[in-house]
Amino acid sequence: MIFDNAPALVVIFPLIAAVAVPFIGYYNKRLIPYFVTLITFCSLIFSISNLRTVMQTGSISYTMGGWEPPFGIEYAIDYLNGFVSIVVIFIIFIVSIYAKKSVEQELPGRTINFYTVFLLLTAGLQGLIVTGDLFNIYVFLEISSIAAYALISVGKSRDALMASMNYLIIGTVSASFILLGIGYLYMVTGTLNMADLADRLPLAFDERPKVVLAAFAFFLVGFSIKVGLFPLHTWMPDAYSLAPSAVSAMLASTFTKVAAYVMIRVMFTIFKPDFIISTVHAHTILAWLAAIAIIAGSVLAIAQTDFKRMLAYSSVSQIGYIILGVALMNQIAMTGGIIHIMNHGIMKAALFMVAGAIIYKTGIRNINDFKGLGKTMPYTSAAFTLVALSMIGIPPTVGFVSKWYLALGAIEAGMWVFVGVIMLSSLLNIVYFWRVFENMYFYRAEGGKVDEVPLSMLLPILILAALTFLLGVLALYPLKEIMAPMVQIILPG
Amino acid sequence: MIEDLILAKYNYWIYVTLMMIGFYAVIAKNNLVKKVIGLNIFSTAIFLFYISIGDVIGGTEPIYIHGEDVVYVNPIPHVLILTGIVVSVSITAVALALIIKIYEEFGTIEEDQILELQS
Amino acid sequence: METIITIKPLLAVLIPLICAVMIIFSSKHPNIRDGWSVAAGAVLFLTVLSMLPDILAGSVIQFTVIEMLPNLPIKFKVDAFGELFALTSSFLWIFTTFYSIGYMRSLKEHAQTRYFFCFAIAIVGAIGIAFSANLFTLFLFYEVLTVSTYPLVIHNETPEAMSGGRKYLLYLMTAGIFLFFSVAAVYYYTGTTDFAFNGILDGHGIPVVMLKILFITFMIGSAKAAFMPLHSWLPSAMVAPTPVSALLHAVAVVKAGVFTATRVILYVFGVDLMGETGIGLMMAYFVCFTIIVASIYALTHDNLKKRLAYSTVSQLSYIVLGVSMLTPDGITGGMLHIPYHAFMKITLFMCAGAIIVTAKMENISEMNGIGRKMPITMLAFTVGALGMVGVPPVAGFVSKWFLLLGSVEMNQLPILLVLLASAMLNVGYFFPVIYVAFFKKPEKELNFGEASPFLLVPLTLTAIISLILGIWPDAPYLFLELVNVAVQNVTTGGI
């Protein structure tokens, strides 16, 4: 029975829980982390149930308060957002386990505030994913953004305040662009429901092509900022590197991915592939921007000595992969791009958790000071090694799966230059990750007593590291059962 | 011609002008509070745009009265913008809170001075 | 052709992997730790050997582990050529293990656990490459081999070792990326990456230009074979401890490169396609260049290990030369040179290592008269060097004989001349070592004796085996018989 309402519950559960956190905190502060973990776990169950329903009976349309779409707000779940929803809530669940110790150290006495905002962010992200209503997207985007600004600003260094402020300004401008795009579409179609919009848009485009084009441009720019697509990525390195560890892990692995999902949703469900290919040629521009992002992000990452900052720039490059996969406009590349949402989410969460674990134990952020960590934190280092190899794209890890599909997709599209970009970026990945390996393992350092982080921080890292390997080896099941029908819906061909 | 372009569509011109003023402030102003004010002008311009597209010439307020056959203005943009205003207020609140913290930490809210302090 | 499905190939890969795990767990007890390596070496060799009778009978052994991506399984298939490589590396692993134990303990090296762990993983890579049934699996283990040998190369952790290691990594990882591209392209065009005896690229309507580009990317991908513009990682990798140079940079890693190149030439492109497009001949002349130039480079180096490294570069190209001749005799010579060169070169490297450990000498010009103090070592060195030149009755003669036959068979006089010239150059860089060691008077008193038995026994044994292989090449169950099966598979398309 309760699972019938699962589409709404994935949003409402964390939302209500966010309000409940202060009350529980009033009763007993130490209960909060467990409570949050429990809530995210329940949301995970609901998400899984949603995807199962989609796989068994087709797309879900859930109406809010009994108002039928297109008049009421609809939550629409198909393969794409069912999948992204699970990925996001799973990572948040893992982060919530990790966050307990990390927050105790980095934000002493502010547990209540942190977890309230943490759950708000969760609710916002889930809302963004499951909603079928365009204006709702704006609202949830802002809910999650505000939560993100707040979470970033509590980072240890005072620079985090400015990072958050810059992000707030850029983020608000981008959200305003999106709002404007929504307004333009509403002006010519008179509807906000995405499925309904998609039906009415061709007619509207015939009547008023310029308005629709303007709307598309606003969406593109707005989402490019939210995704962090180069050269609109400038908020990202500061925000990710200065936020508290748990927040970095969560934001880097979920927020930009969700933004990428919404971008795909708007581009492919509302505007349709034909419009993009033959009318605006947006795919060419996007693909080149993505290629530049891939290279520039990696090059900038090489230039960093701060570990978290390096990871943030690496994110810029990895976002490029996702967008490249989407922009090549064929099913293979699309599979690669979308599966990279999951793969990069898992990998980046793990990497930022490793960074957080190192900071937790030693306070070191500079890569050159990592000497001897391989001995003192063997498990963390081993997990890092596995994940970094995956980022480089060594089989049979998940990173290889994404790269394989992207390379095949680029060949399929006849764009050999992008194959070259993927190859070059793998090489650059090796360069910046290998520095870390070298410092961790290959300089003789004194001391060398094992001094690992607490289990509640280590376990999430190990789980994610194991997943980078397992999901790579067992990639066939999700590819066949989830990705294939999903891509067929998004990009029929 | 000019009337069609300018006078008949004056609502759009107003919103675009306002938006650009806000945008300019966000980009060019050094003072963080002024930037936030710019942001507010920016989003308010968009709200005005929304409200203006909901208008119907000769329309009345959208209250349903039995037996009368009148033209209403479209209420949906207004409702949307109510939400939008709430969002905007929240953002302003967060931004101002941030600015207070920044002032406590850096002793200034001028961006160039903060950048110097950040090293 | 009969296909047998057993788990043996997977076992062969798992044995060194389990060994590696056990090494980590017993890091506190050096004797137990090293015991694992020895035991795993023996078990691995027996496992590989147990597949030999079936292979010689003309069957192939197959085992699919898991289908990772659509039509892209991790899959093992043992054919005669794979068995050849696996047999060589697993057999020589046993020797190198003993030698390593002796070497590492007498030098009291640091981080021995890491050393033996990575060594075992490297063997996983080598065996995996030998037994892989498709390009994808091969690529997987190719990367395993690259990553696992890096810590071995920089074992000393000196700045010199680190920069050598970076070069090593840069070259081989770049190669890996090119291989990745090539594999993806093959998959795109053919929908499969499984090796076939007559190639898989034929008959898919791929333009010749594309085939040539693909071939070039494949060859860049097999940079582990140290073709000439991409060779310089190999001399840099000589900063590694000598056992590493011996097994990995004379057998496992470089032979993996050559093995990959051969797999690509014969089992992906196929004899027919290589002949029709003229890529075979192009390749043959290309590697001739490497053979000559690398030999000349070798002449200029006084450091014994560096000289051996350049000799390896040159000799590896013999193998690829033989294979790209595309004639039965040429292919026989090339394939046969894989184990033969392995046995001879490992002997040479072990001798070099024994000299480093016992006499603390690395440069040839210092080695005046050491033959008198270390007669057995230098005798073994002489055997290896003669083999490299191609003097009967050492093993090298047999493979070179087939190569000469091959060049006659394809009516290419220049290649014949290259082979002869290279033999002369080999004389030029090996005989001074022997001369210096035996006939020059030492400048100062030499106060050391023969190397420790841990070092001496393995190198003597490999020298003797090199002799046996040369005297009695067609003995049953030896490499020539295996190579004959492989050549027959390739030239008849496996029917």
Side-chain angles (χ1 to χ4, degrees):
Chain A
M1 205 335 255
I2 191 165
F3 286 106
D4 292 343
N5 292 318
L9 284 175
V10 290
V11 185
I12 291 170
F13 225 68
L15 196 62
I16 293 177
V19 181
V21 163
F23 294 103
I24 293 174
Y26 182 73
Y27 172 68
N28 187 344
K29 265 189 188 178
R30 270 180 299 172
L31 284 179
I32 297 174
Y34 303 105
F35 173 69
V36 172
T37 306
L38 183 71
I39 293 295
T40 47
F41 182 72
C42 292
S43 298
L44 178 63
I45 301 289
F46 292 137
S47 285
I48 292 172
S49 125
N50 281 340
L51 188 65
R52 262 194 64 206
T53 317
V54 171
M55 286 168 76
Q56 281 163 359
T57 58
S59 302
I60 305 173
S61 167
Y62 182 89
T63 50
M64 280 298 186
W67 291 86
E68 287 300 317
F71 307 107
I73 290 170
E74 179 198 14
Y75 280 5
I77 300 177
D78 60 4
Y79 279 99
L80 177 59
N81 50 4
F83 172 75
V84 176
S85 164
I86 290 183
V87 170
V88 166
I89 194 70
F90 175 74
I91 291 171
I92 292 176
F93 165 63
I94 296 283
V95 171
S96 77
I97 301 173
Y98 175 89
K100 182 173 174 288
K101 289 281 178 188
S102 165
V103 168
E104 272 172 21
Q105 193 203 39
E106 287 184 45
L107 303 167
R110 289 202 267 180
T111 333
I112 299 177
N113 315 20
F114 174 83
Y115 280 106
T116 308
V117 185
F118 183 89
L119 282 177
L120 268 180
L121 180 54
T122 310
L125 292 176
Q126 286 291 322
L128 260 177
I129 295 168
V130 294
T131 188
D133 184 277
L134 203 50
F135 194 78
N136 232 335
I137 281 188
Y138 167 74
V139 174
F140 280 122
L141 195 64
E142 287 295 54
I143 291 178
S144 37
S145 296
I146 292 173
Y149 308 144
L151 286 176
I152 289 166
S153 69
V154 293
K156 248 184 182 171
S157 139
R158 64 177 184 177
D159 294 351
L161 291 169
M162 268 318 276
S164 170
M165 188 71 205
N166 284 334
Y167 184 21
L168 184 144
I169 291 169
I170 300 176
T172 309
V173 169
S174 95
S176 302
F177 279 158
I178 293 164
L179 182 61
L180 208 50
I182 296 169
Y184 278 16
L185 284 192
Y186 179 72
M187 207 161 84
V188 289
T189 59
T191 179
L192 289 167
N193 183 290
M194 294 206 273
D196 198 28
L197 249 174
D199 289 341
R200 296 194 192 186
L201 206 59
L203 192 69
F205 182 69
D206 288 341
E207 284 175 6
R208 298 184 183 277
K210 280 180 190 161
V211 180
V212 177
L213 284 178
F216 184 79
F218 278 125
F219 279 126
L220 205 59
V221 177
F223 285 123
S224 295
I225 295 174
K226 283 283 174 198
V227 173
L229 182 61
F230 189 89
L232 301 171
H233 69 284
T234 45
W235 56 269
M236 213 150 94
D238 278 343
Y240 287 178
S241 59
L242 296 170
S245 310
V247 176
S248 303
M250 180 175 174
L251 283 183
S253 52
T254 56
F255 202 161
T256 42
K257 309 296 167 302
V258 173
Y261 152 75
V262 181
M263 195 166 171
I264 296 170
R265 180 59 89 200
V266 169
M267 277 172 67
F268 289 85
T269 304
I270 297 182
F271 284 98
K272 300 286 176 201
D274 274 350
F275 176 82
I276 295 164
I277 295 172
S278 48
T279 314
V280 286
H281 308 293
H283 62 297
T284 326
I285 306 164
L286 269 183
W288 280 103
L289 278 179
I292 295 168
I294 292 172
I295 301 296
S298 304
V299 171
L300 288 167
I302 291 173
Q304 308 303 320
T305 51
D306 182 316
F307 187 37
K308 279 178 83 175
R309 224 178 154 74
M310 182 191 99
L311 293 178
Y313 275 110
S314 152
S315 274
V316 173
S317 143
Q318 301 287 320
I319 291 292
Y321 279 125
I322 296 174
I323 303 296
L324 180 66
V326 172
L328 282 172
M329 289 288 165
N330 61 54
Q331 289 198 340
I332 302 173
M334 182 66 89
T335 310
I338 293 176
I339 205 155
H340 201 58
I341 291 182
M342 171 179 86
N343 295 348
H344 180 236
I346 291 172
M347 294 189 288
K348 225 0 106 47
L351 287 173
F352 270 111
M353 283 181 184
V354 168
I358 293 170
I359 292 171
Y360 181 87
K361 218 51 225 185
T362 63
I364 299 171
R365 302 175 62 115
N366 191 318
I367 296 166
N368 295 325
D369 299 337
F370 276 14
K371 295 187 175 64
L373 278 180
K375 287 212 179 84
T376 52
M377 302 175 77
Y379 298 108
T380 311
S381 305
F384 169 79
T385 309
L386 189 59
V387 179
L389 288 178
S390 173
M391 290 286 287
I392 293 168
I394 307 273
T397 53
V398 287
F400 170 78
V401 176
S402 322
K403 278 197 181 149
W404 176 259
Y405 272 93
L406 287 173
L408 278 185
I411 298 176
E412 166 97 12
M415 303 296 278
W416 295 90
V417 55
F418 293 138
V419 187
V421 166
I422 293 165
M423 288 162 70
L424 180 60
S425 126
S426 306
L427 192 63
L428 295 172
N429 279 354
I430 294 167
V431 174
Y432 64 79
F433 277 117
W434 213 269
R435 283 185 312 171
V436 187
F437 285 139
E438 264 186 11
N439 278 307
M440 272 184 172
Y441 285 107
F442 300 125
Y443 287 102
R444 302 177 202 198
E446 64 279 5
K449 273 200 99 180
V450 175
D451 186 19
E452 268 292 359
V453 287
L455 193 64
S456 75
M457 287 176 81
L458 190 59
L459 203 61
I461 297 175
L462 293 181
I463 290 174
L464 289 179
L467 276 181
T468 57
F469 183 79
L470 287 178
L471 286 175
V473 176
L474 306 173
L476 198 64
Y477 174 77
L479 281 169
K480 259 193 184 153
E481 301 295 326
I482 304 171
M483 299 303 291
M486 173 201 302
V487 173
Q488 185 64 35
I489 295 172
I490 304 169
L491 192 64
Chain B
M1 175 64 200
I2 292 173
E3 279 135 36
D4 279 358
L5 201 64
I6 296 176
L7 293 181
K9 295 182 176 166
Y10 70 95
N11 56 333
Y12 299 130
W13 286 109
I14 290 172
Y15 113 76
V16 168
T17 317
L18 271 178
M19 196 169 120
M20 286 305 119
I21 292 171
F23 208 32
Y24 172 80
V26 171
I27 294 168
K29 289 293 165 189
N30 214 356
N31 187 310
L32 290 178
V33 173
K34 287 183 183 167
K35 269 183 194 278
V36 174
I37 292 172
L39 270 185
N40 268 302
I41 299 175
F42 189 76
S43 39
T44 309
I46 297 172
F47 298 160
L48 286 179
F49 157 73
Y50 261 83
I51 290 170
S52 68
I53 61 172
D55 190 36
V56 176
I57 294 170
T60 68
E61 59 274 22
I63 300 168
Y64 184 70
I65 300 169
H66 269 289
E68 274 188 45
D69 190 25
V70 291
V71 181
Y72 304 125
V73 298
N74 185 352
I76 290 180
H78 300 184
V79 178
L80 297 182
I81 279 333
L82 272 179
T83 320
I85 290 168
V86 173
V87 168
S88 171
V89 166
S90 326
I91 294 219
T92 312
V94 173
L96 291 175
L98 270 176
I99 291 170
I100 291 171
K101 284 295 281 183
I102 287 173
Y103 186 72
E104 281 173 7
E105 294 282 342
F106 291 93
T108 174
I109 52 170
E110 297 292 327
E111 204 177 12
D112 51 351
Q113 291 172 12
I114 295 169
L115 282 176
E116 270 170 34
L117 288 169
Q118 274 184 330
S119 74
Chain C
M1 175 174 293
E2 199 187 348
T3 305
I4 304 167
I5 294 173
T6 70
I7 200 169
K8 276 182 195 166
L10 179 64
L11 274 183
V13 174
L14 285 181
I15 289 165
L17 191 64
I18 295 167
C19 166
V21 175
M22 298 319 287
I23 285 172
I24 291 271
F25 281 120
S26 45
S27 63
K28 296 263 161 27
H29 313 281
N31 287 333
I32 300 175
R33 180 192 66 201
D34 298 351
W36 283 114
S37 293
V38 175
V43 176
L44 173 64
F45 177 64
L46 290 178
T47 314
V48 176
L49 197 65
S50 72
M51 286 185 265
L52 187 61
D54 287 332
I55 302 296
L56 286 178
S59 320
V60 290
I61 296 170
Q62 203 166 312
F63 186 78
T64 308
V65 182
I66 190 169
E67 191 170 355
M68 195 180 133
L69 297 174
N71 217 357
L72 208 64
I74 296 176
K75 184 171 154 190
F76 296 114
K77 189 170 100 180
V78 189
D79 61 359
F81 184 48
E83 177 75 7
L84 178 78
F85 181 42
L87 212 51
T88 313
S89 12
S90 63
F91 186 55
L92 288 176
W93 188 33
I94 306 176
F95 288 94
T96 327
T97 305
F98 280 113
Y99 186 84
S100 293
I101 296 170
Y103 186 91
M104 300 303 273
R105 290 190 178 183
S106 53
L107 286 183
K108 298 193 178 55
E109 281 280 353
H110 75 122
Q112 290 196 20
T113 305
R114 183 178 85 196
Y115 173 88
F116 282 106
F117 170 77
C118 291
F119 219 113
I121 298 287
I123 297 299
V124 173
I127 300 292
I129 289 174
F131 288 164
S132 47
N134 53 28
L135 276 172
F136 168 65
T137 315
L138 190 143
F139 171 63
L140 195 164
F141 285 104
Y142 198 84
E143 296 286 56
V144 169
L145 193 55
T146 309
V147 173
S148 63
T149 48
Y150 172 76
L152 296 173
V153 171
I154 60 157
H155 186 81
N156 289 333
E157 295 181 5
T158 54
E160 191 198 359
M162 292 312 271
S163 73
R166 284 202 196 113
K167 195 168 185 183
Y168 179 81
L169 195 74
L170 186 71
Y171 271 77
L172 296 194
M173 280 293 195
T174 313
I177 292 164
F178 274 90
L179 194 61
F180 166 77
F181 163 77
S182 319
V183 176
V186 167
Y187 179 80
Y188 174 73
Y189 281 120
T190 64
T192 176
T193 64
D194 287 3
F195 299 125
F197 289 126
N198 46 0
I200 51 176
L201 287 176
D202 211 356
H204 287 279
I206 309 166
V208 176
V209 182
M210 192 57 224
L211 280 175
K212 284 185 177 159
I213 294 172
L214 202 54
F215 188 78
I216 291 169
T217 55
F218 261 124
M219 287 306 125
I220 298 174
S222 35
K224 280 196 170 86
F227 299 127
M228 204 55 183
L230 301 172
H231 68 283
S232 73
W233 62 269
L234 186 55
S236 309
M238 288 301 138
V239 294
T242 311
V244 175
S245 308
L247 185 65
L248 300 177
H249 303 120
V251 184
V253 174
V254 289
K255 291 296 181 330
V258 175
F259 184 85
T260 309
T262 310
R263 275 281 194 228
V264 169
I265 293 173
L266 297 178
Y267 298 78
V268 174
F269 280 75
V271 174
D272 296 339
L273 196 64
M274 290 289 289
E276 280 165 27
T277 51
I279 298 175
L281 199 61
M282 195 176 81
M283 190 62 194
Y285 276 102
F286 179 73
V287 291
C288 280
F289 172 77
T290 307
I291 292 177
I292 297 295
V293 178
S295 299
I296 295 170
Y297 266 65
L299 282 172
T300 65
H301 280 276
D302 189 35
N303 183 311
L304 183 57
K305 276 178 78 183
K306 283 256 164 79
R307 188 173 284 196
L308 290 178
Y310 275 106
S311 158
T312 307
V313 173
S314 156
Q315 298 284 331
L316 290 171
S317 286
Y318 272 74
I319 298 167
V320 182
L321 173 65
V323 171
S324 36
M325 282 177 185
L326 304 175
T327 61
D329 280 336
I331 299 173
T332 309
M335 285 185 173
L336 207 53
H337 208 50
I338 292 181
Y340 283 12
H341 173 251
F343 277 99
M344 297 182 299
K345 194 42 79 52
I346 206 168
T347 311
L348 292 173
F349 267 114
M350 286 184 188
C351 292
I355 296 170
I356 290 174
V357 172
T358 321
K360 312 268 184 296
M361 288 173 186
E362 291 195 11
N363 293 333
I364 296 159
S365 52
E366 298 167 354
M367 294 179 182
N368 294 347
I370 57 165
R372 295 174 203 182
K373 294 285 179 187
M374 310 173 72
I376 304 176
T377 308
M378 287 320 291
L379 219 55
F381 188 90
T382 311
V383 170
L386 288 175
M388 285 293 155
V389 178
V391 177
V394 189
F397 167 71
V398 182
S399 48
K400 292 205 176 175
W401 176 254
F402 276 108
L403 287 176
L404 286 174
L405 280 184
S407 69
V408 174
E409 213 169 28
M410 69 189 296
N411 285 326
Q412 291 288 341
L413 189 61
I415 292 180
L416 185 76
L417 291 177
V418 165
L419 288 171
L420 293 176
S422 157
M424 299 320 286
L425 286 167
N426 272 311
V427 173
Y429 61 80
F430 274 124
F431 280 27
V433 186
I434 300 169
Y435 174 77
V436 163
F438 281 112
F439 301 111
K440 270 206 172 175
K441 279 218 174 73
E443 283 159 4
K444 54 180 190 289
E445 188 69 21
L446 297 176
N447 47 359
F448 53 81
E450 199 47 271
S452 83
F454 260 122
L455 306 178
L456 199 59
V457 173
L459 68 88
T460 318
L461 282 177
T462 51
I464 292 170
I465 293 170
S466 305
L467 275 172
I468 294 173
L469 289 174
I471 296 169
W472 199 15
D474 52 354
Y477 293 106
L478 274 187
F479 295 111
L480 189 57
E481 203 177 335
L482 205 53
V483 169
N484 283 336
V485 177
V487 171
Q488 198 175 355
N489 285 340
V490 175
T491 46
T492 60
I495 304 148

